[in-house]
């Protein structure tokens, strides 16, 4: 045999062995560590373990939001991807069982990516993707018993938020999406409620099936938020508002019940509301648009009407007017070239500020405001701000509205901002408006605003003094102001949260409503006001509503408010408080008519409910 | 085997020399390692079926090896035409309804449920035998095969290669080409023939390309080698997983049956074409290199046998067999360590696969036969 030829083959064999061994050396010894890491990345998945979210309970520990488990059908995207047809047949079978079209399920389980538009799964491909929630037991059983037909599909029990009181306090409680508290207390106290997720390192095989658990860090369950809400009073308040709205045909309203001494909130009712259970199943974009997500008690703003007069009386005292002195209450009072009239143009004769509050005389305040305006005094506006109006209360709820306290500066600024539009409208009018009356009214205002140079005039001051003319308050602001009147002048920043409690019952933090300020009114003035307000339900503007009320049990004092809102029926207010139980109750009904007719009966309902609870104890 | 005194000499081995024990022990050792690795690769399935089948294959292979190694080459020579024709018939049979498609290629013939074989593996043995006839049986006075001999040899090779191209099975075609090249080289065929062969191979490749005989997946495999990132979920993924499994074994490995990547089945075809990744992960550099070295020594012995063959036929036969085994080893290990494109060829003696195991041990038997056949006494 030719040796040379064999030598070629021998060299080839040697070269082959050398090449392969050299490459192995490089892979296994030189870059071994790097491959060990890469191998772990391939083999080990870190799965977050969701903690149980804390409950939200009322002051007596009744759950307002709790958790329950329910069967959820989940799909393992990785397992599906490893099936020969990409899992199509499994999803089609699943669609039949769940009574969902295949496309819908496929959209839920496809993974989001640069090429994939919503709807798609945004989470990790290694966590099971829920495709159907709260399936019935037969369906769950079918899926778990026919595992050979449903590889990669599982039914598991997952915690969901449950709202035992349904729509009660929906806005206050907020909701959870994913694991994120949104809106309401769920949002504000999210960190306390959420707990800390654990993690589990699991070994997976090439199909993503977990083969064993390598390391587990258990999750820390969330803490319970104890609130100062009393679910019974909450229910009473909601029913009272709902009844009053049904009676008046109005759409929206709110009630606030607050502990006058502490600033803790006992009930926050707002309608329209919704059942937060809708969040558990996910909400489509269209449903979301229709949900009444506005919390009327905290985010709704209305003109306060005569409830505002407590601030105006305090302003009068601050400006040196004697509260016990007699003032004339004519049917009308002329400011500039305009006649400002009493309600129903009633001429009530001479009275003190006591009478002005009890009978709710407007003309006394018009004169007062006009005189102060002529002196260039801003006592009215300053006092109103001192009562906490025009700025947020700082309540532990999101999206609070600030209300509005107009004055010289703000009117000027507004005028500058809207002058062009006003002058355009002054000429053009509002031809696009169907309501001719409203169009004429707005055109008149536009003309005035165009001419007026944004000057704060006596008429503005007069309107301001009776809680009209651009003054806006939230029910919460008004409740806090009346609570301060009741408690001797302390303004609190209200709180719903009372304390945060660990699952084992130990208190983590106690939440105390901070003091936000003092009313700009002497103790004597406040006593005078309280005294006057105690007469309103007995023989004043709310006498009708409180006929037969057991004042012996609870000495309710209050003030009605009726605010005009052009083109709508009046906004109806009743702000009230009592020494024992030391609650402040404020009710507002948009388009509720007169305060004495709409809101006062609703407030009475709430007070009677509170009395009823007391007597049942 | 030396016949025991007192027994009648076996008729087909009139004058046999001693077997090459190194060769036998290496083949046996590799087969045992292969069994362990197959077990490790399939242990997670809780099913010893594959292990048992492989053990049966190894047993059958050893039996045939022993049988063939006790044959005088001149006796074997008588059966070459039959073997060659049978190989062609079975290769054609794969394309018939008897054949089973796997991964888009017809490769198996099913004889009965659970009993199937890969004709292309036995065709390797048959071709090694047949191919050596025109190249190794020289007329008196000839030192090397002439034009006619080489031409006949190429024709003999072209027919099975053509049939395999129809399956299509690129890996096996390449093995055949390597075998033909090695045998031609050893036979002492003129250099120009070797050049013609290379040119012919290039032309054939171009023609296959033009005629669309090369399937997209084969092209894909070749491209993926150049850029593993091009296909993270497909072939490139497999290559990456193989490298990760081997690389993570380190110097000494994670221990037999302790491979975590192996347990997780991250590497595809881990008991067959990618069995070497189990060795890399569980036995580390020490074990993986030892397997490569063992095959290297075995091939070296094979070439020595070719060198000392009593006949040119034996030398060409041994050269062809060594080329076949060497090529398969290099391609198989090369693809697991990222030096080669992913071409489906088994690792001789180690990969799971009945036909391949039996064919590999038969090949060792042929080498033994060459080694033990003495020159005719004049």
């Amino acid at each position: 045999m030719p040796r040379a030829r064999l030598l070629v083959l021998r060299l080839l064999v040697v070269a082959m062995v050398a090449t392969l061994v050299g490459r192995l050396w490089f892979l296994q010894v030189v870059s071994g560590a790097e491959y060990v890491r890469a191998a772990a990345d391939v083999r080990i998945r870190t799965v977050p373990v969701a903690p149980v979210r804390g409950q939200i309970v009322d002051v007596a520990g009744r759950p307002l939001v709790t958790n329950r488990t329910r069967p959820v059908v989940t799909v393992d995207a990785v397992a599906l991807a490893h099936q020969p047809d990409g899992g199509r047949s499994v999803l089609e079978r699943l669609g039949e069982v769940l009574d969902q079209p295949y496309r819908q399920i496929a959209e839920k389980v496809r993974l989001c990516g640069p090429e994939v538009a919503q709807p798609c799964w945004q989470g990790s491909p290694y966590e099971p993707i829920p495709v159907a929630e709260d399936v019935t037991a037969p369906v769950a059983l079918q899926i778990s018993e026919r595992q050979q037909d449903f590889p990669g599909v599982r039914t598991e029990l997952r915690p969901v938020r449950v709202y035992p009181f349904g729509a009660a306090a929906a806005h206050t409680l907020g909701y959870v999406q994913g694991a994120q508290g949104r809106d309401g207390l769920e949002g504000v106290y999210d960190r306390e409620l959420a707990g800390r997720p654990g993690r589990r390192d699991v070994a997976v095989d090439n199909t993503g099936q977990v083969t064993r658990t390598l390391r587990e860090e258990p999750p820390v369950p969330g803490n319970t938020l104890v609130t100062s809400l009393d679910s019974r009073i909450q229910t009473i308040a909601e029913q009272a508002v709902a009844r009053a709205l049904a009676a008046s045909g109005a759409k929206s309203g709110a009630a606030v019940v607050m502990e006058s001494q502490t600033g803790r909130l006992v009930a926050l009712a707002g309608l329209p509301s919704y059942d937060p259970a809708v969040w558990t199943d996910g909400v489509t974009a269209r449903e979301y648009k229709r949900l009444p997500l506005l919390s009327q008690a905290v985010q709704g703003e209305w003109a306060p009407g005569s409830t505002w007069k407590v601030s105006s009386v305090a302003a009068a005292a601050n400006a040196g007017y004697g509260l016990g002195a007699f003032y004339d209450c004519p049917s009308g009072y002329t400011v500039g070239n305009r006649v400002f009239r009493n309600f129903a143009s009633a001429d009530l004769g001479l009275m003190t500020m006591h009478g002005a509050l009890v009978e709710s005389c407007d003309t006394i305040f018009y004169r007062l405001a006009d005189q102060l305006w002529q002196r260039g005094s801003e006592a009215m506006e300053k006092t109103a701000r001192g009562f906490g109006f025009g700025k947020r209360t700082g309540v532990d709820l999101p999206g609070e509205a600030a209300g509005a306290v107009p004055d010289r500066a703000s009117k000027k600024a507004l005028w500058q901002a809207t002058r062009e539009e006003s002058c355009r409208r002054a000429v053009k009018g509002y031809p696009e408006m169907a309501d001719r009356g409203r169009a004429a009214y707005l055109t008149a205002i536009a003309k005035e605003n165009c001419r007026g140079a944004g000057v704060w005039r006596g008429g503005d001051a007069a309107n301001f003094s009776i809680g009209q003319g651009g003054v806006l308050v939230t029910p919460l602001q008004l409740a806090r102001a009346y609570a301060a009147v009741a408690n001797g002048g302390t303004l609190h920043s209200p709180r719903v949260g009372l304390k945060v409690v660990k699952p084992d019952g130990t208190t983590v933090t106690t939440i105390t409503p901070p003091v936000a300020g003092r009313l700009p009114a002497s103790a004597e003035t406040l006593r005078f006001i309280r005294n006057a307000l105690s007469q309103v339900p007995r023989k004043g503007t709310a006498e009708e509503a409180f006929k037969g009320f057991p004042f012996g049990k609870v000495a309710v004092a209050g003030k009605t408010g009726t605010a005009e809102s052009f083109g709508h029926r009046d906004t109806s207010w009743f702000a009230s408080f009592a020494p024992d139980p030391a609650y402040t109750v404020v009710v507002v009904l948009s388009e509720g008519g007169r305060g004495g007719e709409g809101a006062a009966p609703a407030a009475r309902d709430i007070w009677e409910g509170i009395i009823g609870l007391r007597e049942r104890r | 085997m030396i016949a025991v005194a007192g027994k009648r000499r076996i008729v087909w081995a009139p004058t046999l020399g001693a077997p090459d024990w190194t060769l036998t022990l290496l083949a046996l050792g590799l087969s045992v390692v292969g069994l362990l690795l197959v077990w490790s690769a399939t242990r997670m399935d809780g099913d010893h079926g594959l292990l048992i089948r492989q053990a049966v294959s190894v047993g059958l292979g050893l039996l045939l090896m022993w049988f063939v190694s006790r044959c005088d080459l001149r006796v074997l020579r008588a059966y070459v035409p039959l073997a060659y024709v049978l190989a062609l018939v079975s290769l054609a049979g794969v394309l018939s309804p008897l054949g089973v498609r796997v991964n888009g290629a017809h490769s198996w013939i099913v004889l009965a449920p659970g009993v199937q074989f890969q004709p292309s593996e036995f065709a390797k043995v048959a071709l090694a035998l047949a191919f050596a006839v025109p190249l190794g049986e020289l007329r008196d006075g000839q030192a090397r095969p002439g034009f006619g001999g080489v031409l006949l040899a190429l024709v003999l090779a072209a027919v099975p290669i053509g049939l395999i191209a129809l399956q299509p099975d690129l890996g096996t075609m390449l093995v055949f080409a390597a075998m033909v090249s090695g045998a031609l080289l050893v036979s002492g065929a003129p250099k120009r023939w070797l050049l013609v062969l290379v040119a012919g191979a290039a032309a054939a490749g171009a023609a296959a390309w033009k005629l669309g005989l090369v399937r997209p997946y084969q092209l894909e495999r070749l491209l993926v080698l150049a850029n593993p990132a091009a296909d993270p979920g497909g072939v490139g993924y497999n290559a990456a997983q193989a490298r990760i499994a081997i690389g993570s074994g380190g110097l000494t490995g994670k221990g037999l049956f302790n491979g975590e990547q192996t347990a997780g089945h991250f590497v595809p075809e881990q008991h067959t074409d990618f069995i070497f990744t189990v060795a890399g992960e569980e036995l580390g550099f020490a074990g993986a290199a030892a397997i490569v070295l063992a095959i290297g020594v075995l091939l070296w012995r094979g070439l020595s046998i070719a060198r000392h063959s009593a006949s040119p036929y034996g030398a060409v036969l041994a050269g062809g067999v060594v080329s076949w085994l060497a090529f398969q080893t290099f391609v198989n290990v090369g693809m697991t360590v990222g030096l080669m494109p992913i071409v489906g060829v088994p690792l001789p003696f180690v990969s799971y696969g009945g036909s391949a195991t039996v064919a590999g041990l038969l090949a060792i038997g042929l080498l033994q036969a060459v080694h033990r056949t003495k020159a005719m006494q004049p």
Side-chain angles (χ1 to χ4, degrees):
Chain A
M1 283 306 93
R3 297 178 75 155
R5 297 288 180 98
L6 271 174
L7 193 63
V8 172
L9 278 182
R10 290 199 176 210
L11 284 177
L12 278 174
V13 168
V14 171
M16 171 189 105
V17 170
T19 306
L20 294 180
V21 170
R23 175 71 178 170
L24 285 170
W25 176 263
F26 171 77
L27 278 187
Q28 301 186 279
V29 182
V30 179
S31 22
E34 175 192 326
Y35 282 107
V36 167
R37 262 198 313 280
D41 286 348
V42 169
R43 205 174 57 242
I44 298 168
R45 300 261 171 263
T46 299
V47 186
V49 184
V52 178
R53 196 172 172 86
Q55 301 189 68
I56 301 176
V57 301
D58 83 345
V59 69
R62 298 180 199 92
L64 299 168
V65 185
T66 174
N67 302 303
R68 81 178 156 89
T69 53
R70 60 170 184 182
V72 173
V73 177
T74 62
V75 167
D76 181 343
V78 179
L80 284 192
H82 277 83
Q83 287 164 14
D85 62 350
R88 194 188 165 101
S89 58
V90 171
L91 290 186
E92 277 170 351
R93 275 197 292 278
L94 185 62
E96 281 165 32
V97 174
L98 294 176
D99 207 13
Q100 278 187 38
Y102 161 79
R103 256 203 36 224
Q104 191 180 328
I105 299 184
E107 277 178 355
K108 284 181 189 166
V109 303
R110 67 183 180 183
L111 303 171
C112 290
E115 303 289 302
V116 182
Q118 289 268 27
C120 55
W121 175 247
Q122 288 174 304
S124 150
Y126 293 97
E127 55 179 300
I129 302 167
V131 294
E133 314 256 351
D134 230 356
V135 290
T136 57
V139 168
L141 272 176
Q142 252 204 80
I143 289 166
S144 44
E145 282 176 359
R146 290 170 50 199
Q147 264 304 290
Q148 71 284 0
D149 290 348
F150 297 112
V153 181
R154 276 204 299 270
T155 47
E156 45 184 276
L157 290 173
R158 287 197 172 187
V160 289
R161 288 307 239 182
V162 182
Y163 305 85
F165 288 89
H171 296 118
T172 309
L173 298 172
Y175 57 94
V176 179
Q177 264 186 327
Q180 270 258 301
R182 299 188 187 267
D183 206 5
L185 296 170
E186 295 269 31
V188 172
Y189 293 100
D190 189 48
R191 281 202 24 225
E192 288 81 356
L193 292 165
R196 220 180 40 244
R199 51 178 290 184
R200 192 186 296 138
D201 290 353
V202 294
V204 296
D205 66 8
N206 64 323
T207 62
Q209 286 292 318
V210 174
T211 49
R212 66 204 168 98
T213 301
L214 304 169
R215 203 169 69 90
E216 197 159 7
E217 209 178 89
V220 178
N223 293 327
T224 296
L225 175 67
V226 180
T227 64
S228 50
L229 296 177
D230 184 324
S231 55
R232 300 167 311 168
I233 298 177
Q234 174 74 29
T235 307
I236 290 165
E238 293 198 2
Q239 286 171 348
V241 173
R243 263 199 305 274
L245 287 179
S248 70
K251 288 278 176 293
S252 58
V256 177
V257 181
M258 191 189 272
E259 287 181 5
S260 311
Q261 299 298 326
T262 62
R264 295 190 194 283
L265 289 161
V266 179
L268 274 175
L271 287 172
S273 185
Y274 65 94
D275 186 343
V278 299
W279 301 111
T280 354
D281 293 319
V283 176
T284 64
R286 224 182 47 214
E287 286 169 333
Y288 183 87
K289 282 203 193 85
R290 283 211 304 266
L291 281 178
L293 294 175
L294 197 71
S295 167
Q296 301 290 347
V298 179
Q299 295 164 302
E301 296 171 301
W302 292 271
S306 303
T307 56
W308 186 251
K309 286 177 185 165
V310 293
S311 163
S312 299
V313 167
N318 291 343
Y321 289 83
L323 299 182
F326 280 87
Y327 302 89
D328 187 18
C329 179
S331 67
Y333 178 79
T334 308
V335 184
N337 55 1
R338 242 177 88 195
V339 181
F340 286 76
R341 301 211 164 274
N342 249 346
F343 188 81
S345 302
D347 181 347
L348 302 173
L350 284 182
M351 53 176 64
T352 62
M353 284 293 175
H354 178 97
L357 284 171
V358 175
E359 304 288 334
S360 206
C361 168
D362 290 342
T363 44
I364 288 178
F365 290 98
Y366 292 145
R367 182 184 295 107
L368 193 71
D370 190 28
Q371 287 170 356
L372 287 172
W373 176 77
Q374 282 169 7
R375 276 168 33 189
S377 157
E378 292 210 321
M380 283 272 184
E381 299 86 324
K382 276 211 185 85
T383 307
R385 289 213 173 76
F387 269 72
F389 296 115
K391 60 171 181 279
R392 294 186 178 86
T393 65
V395 67
D396 50 352
L397 290 172
E400 191 191 357
V405 178
D407 58 10
R408 255 176 243 279
S410 70
K411 184 169 181 189
K412 190 90 179 172
L414 182 71
W415 172 78
Q416 271 164 345
T418 60
R419 183 173 44 172
E420 268 180 55
E421 172 69 1
S422 296
C423 291
R424 203 168 62 80
R425 288 292 190 181
V427 177
K428 194 178 145 211
Y430 289 82
E432 75 275 14
M433 247 181 212
D435 181 348
R436 296 320 309 152
R438 182 158 178 76
Y441 168 77
L442 289 173
T443 310
I445 286 183
K447 279 190 177 132
E448 205 172 313
N449 286 345
C450 180
R451 275 202 313 270
V455 175
W456 182 256
R457 284 173 318 191
D460 297 314
N463 274 329
F464 182 99
S465 69
I466 59 152
Q468 296 268 168
V471 175
L472 291 174
V473 303
T474 67
L476 187 63
Q477 284 176 326
L478 197 66
R480 144 166 108 154
Y482 272 73
V485 170
N487 71 23
T490 307
L491 278 173
H492 290 102
S493 180
R495 288 290 177 270
V496 184
L498 182 67
K499 55 187 179 184
V500 177
V501 179
K502 276 201 194 134
D504 64 11
T506 53
T507 302
V508 184
T509 45
T510 303
I511 301 156
T512 311
V515 172
R518 301 261 329 146
L519 292 184
S522 65
E524 204 182 330
T525 303
L526 292 177
R527 206 173 11 253
F528 183 91
I529 293 173
R530 282 198 297 274
N531 192 18
L533 297 190
S534 70
Q535 296 308 305
V536 171
R538 294 171 199 249
K539 50 180 185 286
T541 48
E543 188 184 357
E544 196 65 29
F546 277 83
K547 208 170 230 110
F549 185 83
F551 289 105
K553 285 178 184 159
V554 177
V556 174
K559 180 76 196 78
T560 54
T562 309
E564 287 172 24
S565 138
F566 192 88
H568 295 278
R569 289 176 55 212
D570 295 344
T571 305
S572 170
W573 286 95
F574 193 72
S576 57
F577 50 81
D580 180 30
Y583 288 151
T584 297
V585 175
V586 169
V587 176
V588 61
L589 303 169
S590 75
E591 309 192 44
R594 293 188 55 188
E597 290 164 358
R604 173 184 176 157
D605 276 357
I606 295 173
W607 283 112
E608 284 183 334
I610 292 169
I611 293 169
L613 291 178
R614 254 177 133 185
E615 291 181 343
R616 244 186 293 158
R617 267 212 308 258
Chain B
M1 295 224 126
I2 300 177
V4 183
K7 284 207 172 176
R8 247 185 47 206
R9 277 206 173 280
I10 295 171
V11 71
W12 62 81
T15 51
L16 281 179
D20 183 334
W21 285 110
T22 316
L23 199 62
T24 303
L25 287 175
L26 283 171
L28 188 65
L30 284 166
S31 299
V32 170
V33 168
L35 281 176
L36 290 173
L37 296 179
V38 167
W39 188 8
S40 180
T42 59
R43 73 181 191 275
M44 298 306 288
D45 308 338
D47 173 15
H48 299 311
L50 291 176
L51 178 68
I52 289 162
R53 287 179 74 120
Q54 180 67 3
V56 169
S57 305
V58 168
L60 184 65
L62 289 171
L63 200 70
L64 287 171
M65 175 178 101
W66 173 80
F67 180 81
V68 170
S69 71
R70 297 189 46 84
C71 291
D72 190 295
L73 273 187
R74 284 158 293 233
V75 178
L76 279 178
R77 168 67 183 84
Y79 295 96
V80 170
L82 177 64
Y84 182 75
V85 170
L86 273 179
L88 291 190
V89 168
S90 62
L91 279 177
V94 185
L95 304 170
S96 78
L98 287 171
V100 178
R101 292 180 81 97
V102 176
N103 292 338
H106 302 267
S107 297
W108 272 270
I109 285 186
V110 180
L111 298 173
V115 184
Q116 54 197 36
F117 76 105
Q118 247 176 313
S120 56
E121 289 295 336
F122 297 108
K124 289 172 189 170
V125 179
L127 187 65
L129 284 165
F131 198 72
V133 172
L135 294 176
E137 296 186 353
L138 306 175
R139 280 192 295 275
D140 291 345
Q142 262 195 320
R144 49 175 56 178
F147 172 75
V150 173
L151 195 65
L152 179 57
L154 289 179
V155 170
L156 285 177
V159 180
I161 290 180
L163 285 169
I164 288 165
L166 293 174
Q167 290 187 7
D169 183 348
L170 181 70
T172 308
M173 280 170 70
L174 293 172
V175 172
F176 275 57
M179 213 158 72
V180 170
S181 313
L184 274 174
L185 195 69
V186 174
S187 74
K191 280 199 192 69
R192 63 172 182 275
W193 276 108
L194 296 176
L195 292 174
V196 164
L197 191 71
V198 171
W209 185 273
K210 278 274 180 250
L211 297 171
L213 278 177
V214 180
R215 303 293 164 112
Y217 76 90
Q218 296 166 343
L219 189 57
E220 215 173 71
R221 287 177 172 177
L222 292 165
L223 292 176
V224 162
L225 177 76
N227 179 15
D231 177 23
V235 187
Y237 167 87
N238 296 343
Q241 291 298 341
R243 272 215 302 285
I244 286 170
I246 292 175
S248 69
L251 186 61
T252 55
K254 300 171 187 174
L256 188 63
F257 306 138
N258 290 333
E260 291 153 306
Q261 306 305 106
T262 300
H265 294 307
F266 293 103
V267 185
E269 299 295 330
Q270 225 182 340
H271 55 297
T272 58
D273 292 352
F274 281 90
I275 190 123
F276 193 73
T277 60
V278 184
E281 188 191 10
E282 300 191 345
L283 310 177
F285 174 77
I291 290 174
V292 172
L293 281 171
I295 298 179
V297 171
L298 183 146
L299 296 171
W300 188 268
R301 296 291 319 161
L303 289 174
S304 298
I305 288 168
R307 168 91 186 81
H308 299 291
S309 164
S311 63
Y313 178 80
V316 175
L317 173 59
V321 167
V322 169
S323 305
W324 151 25
L325 298 177
F327 181 81
Q328 270 192 208
T329 303
F330 188 67
V331 169
N332 179 285
V333 177
M335 79 178 176
T336 62
V337 296
L339 288 177
M340 281 268 150
I342 295 186
V343 180
V345 297
L347 183 60
F349 316 112
V350 183
S351 282
Y352 170 87
S355 308
T357 303
V358 172
L361 290 168
L362 262 176
I364 298 295
L366 290 180
L367 288 178
Q368 293 283 24
V370 173
H371 176 66
R372 298 175 72 176
T373 300
K374 297 282 172 269
M376 296 285 263
Q377 300 302 324

